[in-house]
């Protein structure tokens, strides 16, 4: 259950950060607000690519360490 809560918290935090950065970017660039969604999508894709190769559990888009990632099989499994 704790792993699930951490997974939900991680996903929610990253989604909020990406949305906030998208909105901030359109404000700074003075472009229409509808661009915030594609910008957030690009940020999410970039985060997933980096997480899958450099951070967290290899082969997943999670930034959680392998010991906390719900996709990691339990010890002895």
């Amino acid at each position: 259950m704790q792993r699930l809560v951490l997974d939900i918290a991680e996903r929610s935090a990253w989604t909020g950060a990406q949305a906030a950065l998208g909105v901030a970017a359109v404000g700074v660039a003075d472009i229409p607000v509808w661009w915030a969604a594609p910008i957030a999508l690009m940020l999410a894709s970039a985060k997933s690519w980096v997480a899958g190769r450099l951070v967290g559990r290899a082969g997943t888009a999670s930034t959680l360490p392998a010991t906390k990632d719900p996709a990691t099989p339990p010890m002895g499994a």
Side-chain angles (χ1 to χ4, degrees):
M1 181 66 168
Q2 181 183 5
R3 285 183 175 196
L4 177 61
V5 171
L6 286 172
D7 188 43
I8 291 169
E10 178 207 17
R11 290 169 188 256
S12 299
W14 277 115
T15 300
Q18 291 153 357
L21 285 170
V23 170
V26 298
V28 169
D30 196 28
I31 57 177
V33 74
W34 69 264
W35 277 100
I39 291 170
L41 175 62
M42 288 186 298
L43 290 169
S45 297
K47 190 278 303 181
S48 296
W49 187 88
V50 169
R53 287 156 183 79
L54 305 173
V55 182
R57 183 168 178 265
T60 72
S62 177
T63 55
L64 292 173
T67 57
K68 304 289 184 191
D69 189 349
T72 303
M75 296 293 283

